[in-house]
Amino acid sequence: MNFLWAFVVGGGICVIGQLLLDFAKLTPAHVMSSFVVAGAVLDAFDLYDNLIEFAGAGATVPITSFGHSLLHGAMEQADEHGIIGVAIGIFELTSAGIASAILFGFIVAVIFKPKG
C-alpha cells in the first residue's frame, strides 16, 4: 500500500506541474520555483511532514521537498543559533543535493558538448 500512495502523491504533484505548463503557459523555471515555494509554505504550516509520513518517497522525491528542506533546516537552526542559524540550516539539509547537481552537471558538460 505504501508504494501505491507514493505513486499517487508523486504522480499528482507531476500532474499539477504538467497542467501548469500546458494550461497556465508557465515556463519550466516558473513551475519549478512555484513548487519550491509551495513546499516551503506547506512546511510553514506543518503540512509537508504529514505528507511525507503518508506518501514517503512520493513526497520526498519531487522538487517540493527541496522547499520543505530549505525552510525546515532554516527554522531548526534559527532556534539554536539565531539569525546566523538560518543560513546554516538552509545549507545543512540541502548541501548533498546541491553538490550532486553541480558535480553531475559538470561531468555531463565534460562528456557532451553543451550548447551555447
Side-chain angles (χ1 to χ4, degrees):
M1 209 53 188
N2 291 338
F3 294 118
L4 176 68
W5 288 119
F7 178 78
V8 169
V9 171
I13 292 171
C14 293
V15 166
I16 292 169
Q18 192 63 49
L19 291 173
L20 288 172
L21 287 170
D22 292 343
F23 295 114
K25 302 296 184 199
L26 296 176
T27 65
H30 287 112
V31 173
M32 181 182 67
S33 300
S34 300
F35 277 10
V36 170
V37 170
V41 169
L42 287 172
D43 187 53
F45 292 109
D46 291 328
L47 298 173
Y48 208 82
D49 286 326
N50 296 332
L51 186 63
I52 289 173
E53 287 179 29
F54 175 72
T60 58
V61 171
I63 193 70
T64 50
S65 179
F66 185 71
H68 157 71
S69 296
L70 287 173
L71 186 66
H72 200 75
M75 297 307 288
E76 254 180 34
Q77 293 298 320
D79 290 339
E80 290 181 33
H81 302 289
I83 193 71
I84 194 72
V86 172
I88 294 170
I90 286 174
F91 294 115
E92 183 178 345
L93 291 177
T94 59
S95 61
I98 294 169
S100 297
I102 293 169
L103 176 66
F104 292 125
F106 175 75
I107 291 170
V108 169
V110 168
I111 294 172
F112 301 102
K113 288 187 176 184
K115 294 181 181 179

